[in-house]
Every structure is written in structure tokens, then in C-alpha cells.
Amino acid sequence: MGIKSVLFNVFVYGVTVFLSLSAGCGDSPRNSNGDQPIEVAIAQPKSFDIQVATIGVLDAARAHMLSSDIRGDYSKIIFIINDGTHVKKGDLLVKIDQTPFEDRVEELTAEVAALESAYKAKEQMLEWEKNQVEKNLSNARYNQTLAKLEYKRLIEGDGPLQVNQYKTEVARAKEEVDKYVSYHHELEQLKDEGYSNPSELSTALKRKDEYKEKYETAQKALESYQDHVYPSLKQAALAKMKKTEADILQAANDGVINIAKATATLEEAKGALNSRRAALKQARNELKKVELRAPFDGIAILYETFRDGEKRKPRVGDRIIRNQPILYLPDISTMIVKTDIREVDLHKISLDQTAQVQVDAYPDARLQGKVGFIGALAAEVRGGGTGGKFFQCMVNILTRDLRLRPGMTSRVTILSGQVKDALCVPVSALFIEDGGCFCYRAERGGFERITVKTGRQNLDYVEIVSGLDPDDRVALTRPEPYSYHHAVTPEGS
């Protein structure tokens, strides 16, 4: 690209020199030996455009490389649009055999249905386990409440009540014993006084012995209850309370374990279900992708690449590899030119500058454009002996021409500025010697070397800021050294 640009600029420059030489006016002074006349030009005000010419390649401003993103190697083309066909947005470009994708969707749909049923069953099992755990905990807490109430009743009610009953029996028996002991004593006194009543005395003695035995029995019952039975009952009630606490902890631990197992089983089922659902979603998406349609208007260009061991364009029956290009779809309604700008011309270029584009395929076409992009990095062009550096440039074509195609060679002329009514001479009249710029002005049959200060220029003319006056005649070729003499450098040059 860069070499072509250089060659084109050299060609334009040669034509310009030729035209400049042909444009000389007035009598042409000769070298001092008078053998060969020297062409001259007149320094005079001119207006000219400052242009940058280059060669580029047409491309679409918007394009799309169509490929399939279906995974696997079972995608087979059953329809493909003809190469070079103009298409509208939404037109069918490629169709893939949908049979394997439909089979896959049907298979995965059945698997998902089965897994959904299994998931619901495990979900119900988890709820049952939660209810069972709550039920067991409720029973354990109820038993604990009962145990606490029994312990409280024993400590505050039945135990003390039973003790009081035994004490009452002991007191009653003691009272009877004391009564008959007193009665027996009175009978003994009456006997001593001569009032003997043997049968009554015998009955009183017998009664005393009976109640004494009852008293002793009641006393033993009281001591046994207080010392043995009651403490045992309290320990049993306390142990029962502690057991209910342990039962609650056990029910809670068992519940955690059972719920965890049921949850793990449910999560496992959920994972399997989600995996199959994802596979089904992907299969459905791939089924939708069996038809590749145009994302916008353009020209369908079948992409040539290696297929089945040979480089060719795709056709019906080919199997598609994922992301392998199938066709290129450029939108030719908006075109651009991709080109390179020489490093020495970069300062002349800026965004939105006007450009004219001519396409080699259609020489009659004159297309209007503007600069849309300038590269930031220089690329060195190798080969051709130029050694120059170029910057990428993109020109947006404003003229719509449906004949244009990507890849066409284009000649671009960028209007970077204008000079109006400035004193100018042809570029060929300017010479650079010893780091300075000079012109050879015709004087009295010879030439003076005049130092000049230059301004803007194009391929044809250069602006003279100082050193020459209007209507000065200047040589277009370097005179022989003895045909000119040095002149004083004008002020301000």
C-alpha cells in the first residue's frame, strides 16, 4: 500500500515538472556560452489547493463475517445463498439441517420432565422431614413439661402431703397408745385400792398393746417414706426431667441430620435438573441458530477457506466448524477507503478534511469523501528502497454508488488547505543549497541566486514569502555557475 502511494506521487510530480516547464513565459535567457536556453517562469500571485494524493483500497464501512457458533461437528449445510447476491436485512443466507437439533431437544425435554418429578418428590421428602423433626421436638418438649410438673407436684404436693399423712397416723396412734396407757394405769390404781376389774384391766392392756404396735408401725412407715421412698421418688422425677432435656437435644440433633440429608439429596436433584435445563436451553438456542439471516442489507460473498483438504467456498452438504467463516456480508451503501499517508504529509492531514476519490474500475466516477480516521502509530514500509514511514488513514465516501465493491483500488486526493492570491513560483524554480532555499532570477542576460523564504506549497507551486517581487523571472533549471553572479540577500528573507 505505501509503495504504491510513493510511486503514484512520483508520477504526479513528474507530470507537474513537465507542465511547469511548458508554462515558462517571456524570453528565455541562455547560459553564457549561448548553446542552450533556460526556461523561466514569472513570479506572480496565484491561488492553489494544497493536496495530498495517495492510493487505497475500498472497503465497506459496516461489514459482518457470518459464522455458526453451534458447538460440535454435526452441523450440515442444506441451503446457502448464491455468491454475490444482494440481500436485505432478515434474508435467509444459510440453513443448517435441524434434524439432530430437534432430536436433541426432544431427548432433553424428556430428561428434564423426569428430573422435575424426582426433584418434587425430594422436595416433599424434605418438607416431611422438617415436619417430623418439629413433631418429635414438640413431643419431647411436652414430655419435659410433664416431667417438670410431676417433679413439682412431688416436691410441693404429693411428697409433703404423704409425709403429713404418715405423721398424722403416727400422732393418732400415739394418742391412742397414750390414752390406753393412762387408762391401764388408772385401772391398776383402782386395783390397788380394792376395786379390781380383771376383765376391764385385761381389755385395757390388750388395747394398749394393739395401739402401741400401730404406733410403731406408723412410725416406721413415716421414717421409711422420709428416709427412702421420698428421696427415691425425687431422684426418679429429677432423672425423668433430665432425660426429657436429653430427648429434646437428641430430637434436635436427629432433625438436623435428617434435614441435612434430605437437603443434600434435594440439592443433588436440583443440580442434575439445572444441568439438564441448561443443556435443553442450549439445544433450543442451537435449534434457533440453524437459520443464519442477514443482520443488515448488503452483498453475500461466500468466504473461501480450507474445507475437506482443499481451499474453496462453502456449498450444500458441507459440515460447519464452530466459528469458521462462512460468508462475508459488506454493506455497500456506505463505503470507506483504507489508505496510508506519508510521514512527511501527516502535518497536512486532519479529521473531516474534504477528499476526492476515483476508482480504477470506474474512471468516470468522481466520489466525494472526508477524512474519518488517522492512525496514531507509524508503520515502516519495507522493500522498494524507499525506507519511508506511513500512517494509516481512512476516508469516508459520501457519494453513494452501488457499483462499488470492497477491494477495488482507489486514488484519493485530500484537500488539506488553500492558498489565495499569494506570490508563487513553480516548485521546479526552487533550489535547496547549503541548507538554504534559493531561486535564480533573470538579470541582464544572466541570473542572480536569490535567497527566498517559502510558505505553503503543493506539487505544482510554492508560496514565496520574501526574496522575490511580482513579475520577477526565475529559472526552472539550475543555470551554469558562470551564467549568474551572487546578489545581496534582500532584507527580511
Side-chain angles (χ1 to χ4, degrees), residues 146-167 222 225-226 229-231 233-234 237:
L146 290 180
K148 288 181 177 180
L149 290 174
E150 289 178 0
Y151 180 78
K152 183 177 181 180
R153 184 180 63 186
L154 177 65
I155 297 301
E156 297 178 3
D158 291 350
L161 180 62
Q162 187 65 38
V163 169
N164 289 334
Q165 287 179 349
Y166 280 121
K167 286 181 177 181
L222 174 61
Y225 187 80
Q226 283 182 327
V229 177
Y230 187 43
L233 291 176
K234 287 196 295 184

Side-chain angles (χ1 to χ4, degrees), residues 29-314:
R30 298 174 180 270
N31 287 322
S32 60
N33 59 12
D35 292 338
Q36 184 179 1
I38 296 177
E39 296 291 334
V40 295
I42 298 177
Q44 55 186 350
K46 283 187 177 294
S47 298
F48 60 85
D49 294 334
I50 301 174
Q51 300 174 334
V52 176
T54 182
I55 297 177
V57 176
L58 275 180
D59 200 358
R62 179 174 62 163
H64 178 69
M65 184 66 74
L66 196 73
S67 62
S68 173
D69 60 355
I70 297 177
R71 298 186 299 179
D73 58 352
Y74 45 85
S75 301
K76 185 173 68 174
I77 297 176
I78 60 174
F79 167 80
I80 189 167
I81 199 165
N82 292 330
D83 196 13
T85 303
H86 287 263
V87 299
K88 296 291 185 181
K89 180 180 179 181
D91 285 353
L92 180 64
L93 304 179
V94 179
K95 186 171 183 179
I96 299 170
D97 184 11
Q98 63 188 27
T99 302
F101 303 99
E102 290 176 339
D103 293 343
R104 180 64 172 163
V105 168
E106 184 177 352
E107 175 186 349
L108 289 172
T109 300
E111 291 184 14
V112 168
L115 290 172
E116 285 177 343
S117 298
Y119 177 78
K120 288 180 180 178
K122 290 177 173 57
E123 195 173 35
Q124 293 174 354
M125 178 59 69
L126 175 60
E127 291 301 319
W128 183 87
E129 287 290 352
K130 290 179 179 179
N131 292 334
Q132 192 66 24
V133 168
E134 188 61 32
K135 180 180 178 181
N136 292 339
L137 283 173
S138 179
N139 290 337
R141 293 189 186 101
Y142 177 75
N143 291 336
Q144 184 186 46
T145 301
L146 290 180
K148 288 181 177 180
L149 290 174
E150 289 178 0
Y151 180 78
K152 183 177 181 180
R153 184 180 63 186
L154 177 65
I155 297 301
E156 297 178 3
D158 291 350
L161 180 62
Q162 187 65 38
V163 169
N164 289 334
Q165 287 179 349
Y166 280 121
K167 286 181 177 181
T168 299
E169 291 178 2
V170 168
R172 187 181 298 116
K174 180 69 169 57
E175 184 180 354
E176 291 294 330
V177 169
D178 290 343
K179 184 178 73 170
Y180 281 98
V181 167
S182 175
Y183 182 61
H184 180 265
H185 180 68
E186 291 176 357
L187 290 178
E188 285 290 340
Q189 288 180 346
L190 290 174
K191 177 181 176 182
D192 292 340
E193 293 175 0
Y195 298 100
S196 176
N197 189 349
S199 76
E200 190 67 23
L201 184 62
S202 175
T203 300
L205 181 61
K206 183 177 180 181
R207 293 281 184 169
K208 183 186 74 172
D209 291 339
E210 289 178 357
Y211 281 106
K212 185 177 181 180
E213 184 178 356
K214 287 182 179 183
Y215 169 74
E216 292 176 352
T217 300
Q219 187 66 31
K220 289 180 180 179
L222 174 61
E223 293 175 355
S224 175
Y225 187 80
Q226 283 182 327
D227 297 341
H228 302 289
V229 177
Y230 187 43
S232 297
L233 291 176
K234 287 196 295 184
Q235 289 180 355
L238 187 62
K240 188 175 182 180
M241 273 200 313
K242 291 182 178 180
K243 182 178 181 303
T244 57
E245 293 178 0
D247 290 343
I248 291 174
L249 292 177
Q250 186 64 41
N253 291 335
D254 290 345
V256 170
I257 294 173
N258 293 338
I259 290 176
K261 288 180 179 179
T263 302
T265 302
L266 181 64
E267 289 299 320
E268 183 179 358
K270 183 179 180 180
L273 176 59
N274 288 340
S275 175
R276 291 292 86 184
R277 280 176 173 171
L280 177 59
K281 181 179 180 180
Q282 179 180 332
R284 286 173 174 166
N285 287 337
E286 290 181 342
L287 180 59
K288 294 177 182 178
K289 296 174 183 177
V290 297
E291 291 186 351
L292 304 180
R293 297 184 177 273
F296 46 76
D297 297 353
I299 299 178
I301 302 174
L302 301 187
Y303 190 81
E304 186 176 17
T305 187
F306 282 95
R307 305 174 190 276
D308 300 328
E310 60 177 325
K311 191 173 183 180
R312 60 175 176 81
K313 295 184 176 182

Side-chain angles (χ1 to χ4, degrees), residues 17 241 395 478:
V17 170
M241 273 200 313
V395 176
R478 187 190 306 273

Side-chain angles (χ1 to χ4, degrees), residues 456-473:
R456 295 166 291 176
Q457 71 178 70
N458 64 4
L459 295 176
D460 299 322
Y461 296 100
V462 58
E463 179 184 7
I464 302 299
V465 177
S466 63
L468 294 178
D469 295 322
D471 297 328
D472 283 348
R473 295 189 300 165

